[in-house]
Amino acid sequence: MNILLTGGLGYIGSHVTVVLAEAGHHVIILDNLHNCKIEVLDRLAKILGNSPAFIQGDVRNQLLVESVLKDQKIDAVMHFAGLKAVGESVQKPLMYYENNVGGTISLLQAMKSCQVKKIVFSSSATVYGIPQYLPLDEKHPTNPESPYGQTKLQIEAILQDLARSDQSWKIIALRYFNPVGAHESGLIGEEPNGIPNNLMPYISQVASGLLPKLKIFGNDYETPDGTGVRDYIHVMDLAEGHVCALNYLYNNESEFSIMNLGTGAGYSVLELVKLYQKVSSRKITYEIAAKRAGDIAACYANADKAAVHMVWKAKRSLEKMCEDSWRWQSRG
Ligand SMILES: NC(=O)c1ccc[n+]([C@@H]2O[C@H](COP(=O)([O-])OP(=O)(O)OC[C@H]3O[C@@H](n4cnc5c(N)ncnc54)[C@H](O)[C@@H]3O)[C@@H](O)[C@H]2O)c1
């Protein structure tokens, strides 16, 4: 099948490119290079033996997207393109709504006019907000705490309305928990601009000496060791979930579905630090700092729905996530 990946040169899209290409699909990437490097294309070529098709452009350019959908005879779209920094979204909400919500509407208009009606959307567990119970299943109430989370929830609502209006759409929103790790070749991985916002890239930069120490925000949460607990999922498990989602779109009647992609297990910051020290043989210096407003004690998925309906389950351990992250971080 011909699959268009918007934002396909980014962290998650590049790993999904590998898995889709290895499953025999033809991948076409559209990315405006806002948060990725063009070299990712060469690295993908090294892994795959040839380079995926790439178009530099913006999802908000409806005419461009229409021409790509037609020229490349696209069967389905995976929509990764978006801005994802929670803190930045608080500072620049209009930029987030414009790019994430506006970009998705423009993409959907283009898809509608070209009669391409299958889409997998990158949503986030951040739509749940503060957990009322754990593990979080898809029925848990949604109440995102940031403009970024709001954009994800609004896009889900748009997708649901669209599917209700025309049952020939097949749409799935995947709510990712905390993707970490890298492809085991060490050729692609997460490459944050500036100081990382997420824990694993931060730890990996402390391990490699790029950053002096890790700040752990709060050690008196109601968790086994007092530090925050999250559901880390290997990015390759997440990527495989997209192939299962594609199969689901083709083999299921449902017009609109939401699925959690997580492991179902929570690990604390300190557990992650200890394991990363072990796999990297480096000391990770840390200090305990005050809790941040809005941070939650624990968050992990109930991933049963994806297991039952998409026959997908995360397989890789936390140790494997750390090993693959470290191989990527310590590349030459
Ligand atoms: N990484 C995570 O922790 C996480 C968690 C939950 C959800 N998500 C979502 O998954 C998706 C992919 O995340 P990621 O970690 O790979 O992010 P990323 O920033 O690495 O990748 C996103 C890609 O989209 C591109 N892009 C952004 N706006 C665009 C536009 N208007 N037109 C074309 N390209 C555009 C960027 O250049 C980048 O390459 C995002 O939508 C993100 O919100 C990510």
Side-chain angles (χ1 to χ4, degrees):
M1 265 181 276
N2 298 328
I3 317 290
L4 176 66
L5 269 61
T6 73
L9 282 191
Y11 173 44
I12 297 169
S14 57
H15 290 80
V16 175
T17 296
V18 172
V19 176
L20 283 173
E22 285 175 347
H25 297 291
H26 182 228
V27 174
I28 296 97
I29 294 174
L30 175 78
D31 200 300
N32 67 1
L33 304 183
H34 175 85
N35 196 36
C36 63
K37 298 205 175 93
I38 190 70
E39 294 89 77
V40 174
L41 213 49
D42 295 333
R43 300 188 211 135
L44 286 169
K46 273 196 190 136
I47 296 171
L48 294 170
N50 55 13
S51 179
F54 172 65
I55 295 127
Q56 183 175 344
D58 200 294
V59 284
R60 290 166 291 184
N61 182 343
Q62 194 181 323
L63 288 179
L64 170 72
V65 177
E66 284 176 8
S67 74
V68 174
L69 293 171
K70 281 187 216 139
D71 296 350
Q72 304 284 338
K73 300 189 170 53
I74 298 297
D75 297 297
V77 175
M78 294 196 180
H79 182 33
F80 302 97
L83 303 173
K84 62 167 183 178
V86 171
E88 186 184 52
S89 80
V90 177
Q91 306 301 322
K92 300 177 181 170
L94 291 179
M95 187 168 105
Y96 271 68
Y97 285 104
E98 212 269 318
N99 193 71
N100 293 5
V101 182
T104 305
I105 292 174
S106 176
L107 170 68
L108 294 169
Q109 298 276 26
M111 290 176 68
K112 186 169 185 277
S113 79
C114 297
Q115 296 291 306
V116 178
K117 293 185 171 177
K118 292 189 175 64
I119 181 167
V120 178
F121 169 62
S122 300
S123 191
S124 168
T126 195
V127 298
Y128 294 118
I130 297 168
Q132 294 178 10
Y133 58 85
L134 287 168
L136 291 160
D137 58 26
E138 292 83 351
K139 294 197 179 85
H140 186 285
T142 50
N143 186 20
E145 300 253 293
S146 69
Y148 165 68
Q150 281 292 352
T151 68
K152 293 293 174 189
L153 193 59
Q154 290 188 5
I155 294 166
E156 286 188 4
I158 292 167
L159 293 169
Q160 182 158 30
D161 287 344
L162 186 62
R164 273 199 198 118
S165 73
D166 170 358
Q167 297 184 350
S168 59
W169 281 90
K170 299 283 173 226
I171 301 174
I172 185 159
L174 299 175
R175 290 180 178 164
Y176 309 156
F177 279 67
N178 295 69
V180 296
H183 186 260
E184 64 181 3
S185 64
L187 286 165
I188 53 171
E190 189 170 7
E191 223 169 349
N193 276 332
I195 307 282
N197 290 309
N198 294 335
L199 181 62
M200 177 85 92
Y202 205 108
I203 291 179
S204 71
Q205 293 197 10
V206 174
S208 68
L210 286 172
L211 291 170
K213 68 177 156 199
L214 171 72
K215 259 190 192 166
I216 298 179
F217 298 102
N219 66 348
D220 57 356
Y221 284 111
E222 278 185 30
T223 59
D225 64 23
T227 63
V229 164
R230 297 290 179 275
D231 186 338
Y232 298 101
I233 171 168
H234 196 296
V235 66
M236 290 303 289
D237 277 327
L238 192 81
E240 287 164 10
H242 289 70
V243 178
C244 298
L246 191 65
N247 293 338
Y248 180 80
L249 285 189
Y250 274 88
N251 298 310
N252 205 281
E253 292 299 300
S254 162
E255 300 89 49
F256 176 73
S257 315
I258 291 175
M259 306 269 177
N260 283 341
L261 291 187
T263 65
Y267 290 96
S268 74
V269 179
L270 282 177
E271 283 176 300
L272 193 59
V273 167
K274 277 184 200 141
L275 206 49
Y276 213 97
Q277 289 194 142
K278 184 182 144 204
V279 306
S280 65
S281 308
R282 300 288 176 96
K283 178 154 178 52
I284 295 162
T285 312
Y286 65 82
E287 67 178 18
I288 305 293
K291 283 180 187 165
R292 290 179 301 191
D295 272 356
I296 51 182
C299 168
Y300 46 93
N302 176 330
D304 291 351
K305 193 174 172 194
V308 171
H309 294 277
M310 304 201 309
V311 201
W312 172 87
K313 217 173 173 7
K315 300 188 289 261
R316 294 162 178 88
S317 66
L318 190 68
E319 185 153 356
K320 173 84 176 140
M321 301 178 213
C322 294
E323 280 167 10
D324 289 338
S325 157
W326 180 238
R327 190 176 305 107
W328 161 246
Q329 181 64 43
S330 53
R331 68 196 182 276

